Structure formats: C-alpha cells, structure tokens
Amino acid sequence: MNINTLNILADAISEVGSWHWWTIKDDMVQIQFCDILLYDESKSEKEPHTTDVLAIRFYGHAFAVFLDNLNEPNWYEHLQQDDSVIYPVDTYELAFDDVNEAGLLLNEYKHRTPVKDYSGPETLLAARHLLYARCGDVGLIAGGDEIKAVGNKGLYTEEEITAASGKWWDYWKSYWKLRGTAEAYPEDYACEITIPVSDK
C-alpha cells in the first residue's frame, strides 16, 4: 500500500476506533480494530454503516511487541480471549511506517512484551512496514514486509479503502443533516462521537 492509502486507513481507525483483538500465525501478525470510519456497503438500510471490525495483517518477517503501564501481566491475553475487552486508540495516535515515532513509543511504557520475533529497536529499523498505536495505558508496534487490510468482505484494495473513506464522510454529513428528523438514520456510535463543528 502507498503512504496516502495508509494515512487514510490510520485516520479511519484512530478517529474513534479501538484495539479489539490480535493473533499470530507462522509468519503473520494480525491486529484487529473496531469502529472504523469506512463505509460498509454490506449492511442494510436500517443498520449503521460504519465498519464494525477491520484487521491489519503483516506478512514476511512479521513481528509484534506490546507495551503497557499496567500491573496486569496477562492483559494482552485477555484481549485475545475476551471480545468484551477493548482499548480505545488515542485520537490520531496510530500511524504506519513512522519508525521515529514508533521508537519514541517504546520509551513511553514501563513494560515491553515481545509476542512475535521482536528483538529490540533494531527490529523496527529493519521493517519495511510497521504500525504503532497508543491506546492509553497500553500500546503496540507491529510490522513486516507486507501490509493487508481485511474486513468481513475480505481483502481491501487501496482503491476500496479510499472510496470507503470518502463514502463514510458523505454518510456522516447526511447522518447529521437528517438527525432528529423523520428521515434520520439509525443511531451510529461512530457518527455520534464525531460531532460536526457548529457554524452558529
């Protein structure tokens, strides 16, 4: 993916999204988020159109390290095992391919837990692609040679990410225009907390 698409994806996740789940397999790391500002075409008219879940996958020399300031050594296992556990991403504190910010993030947390093939800051420097996210008392850095974004419909292309982002913001404008009227859309959490600036 090119950097413009990755920036769109980072904003779509970090505006109101949360870290929802993770898994590792062979040479793959998957970090899953919920409440993504991408328009979900598969939903019916009577459902909110924000994307519920989106996974970011890294392949090829994939690695991940989890960070925390908690007194709970197995917090990341609970995140994997209990779908009621989420960690909201600090607004716009998620980015791709910014090795300098990822390096700074390492020093913001007391504990580092390598969960796959992380051997220190040199791992970040060697990565072709990476993702970092601040989520309050926890954080993460993951990376690899290749990035893929996967939703309920399957793999997203770069064009689909760009289009789904633009369509979500059009939907958001209509949501607020019609809110409180007889034609109002079903309540959508992501729209409700992304409040437009009043011109009054």
Side-chain angles (χ1 to χ4, degrees), residues 28-119:
M28 187 272 286
V29 169
Q30 176 169 311
I31 307 295
Q32 191 162 292
F33 299 94
C34 59
D35 299 320
I36 313 302
L37 306 192
L38 297 177
Y39 190 85
D40 187 341
E41 299 273 6
S42 71
K43 293 184 176 180
S44 74
E45 230 178 274
K46 296 184 178 180
E47 293 180 284
H49 283 278
T50 298
T51 294
D52 295 324
V53 174
L54 183 78
I56 304 299
R57 291 180 183 166
F58 292 95
Y59 296 90
H61 302 101
F63 74 90
V65 56
F66 297 160
L67 314 167
D68 74 273
N69 290 324
L70 304 174
N71 294 316
E72 183 186 353
N74 298 322
W75 65 270
Y76 56 92
E77 293 177 4
H78 298 312
L79 179 63
Q80 188 179 46
Q81 296 161 4
D82 182 351
D83 63 9
S84 70
V85 177
I86 62 170
Y87 290 98
V89 178
D90 296 353
T91 306
Y92 300 126
E93 292 293 339
L94 176 152
F96 293 92
D97 295 353
D98 191 331
V99 68
N100 292 328
E101 283 297 317
L104 292 173
L105 188 69
L106 287 173
N107 299 316
E108 294 180 17
Y109 293 91
K110 291 186 291 187
H111 309 119
R112 299 177 188 177
T113 305
V115 291
K116 181 168 177 58
D117 297 343
Y118 174 80
S119 57

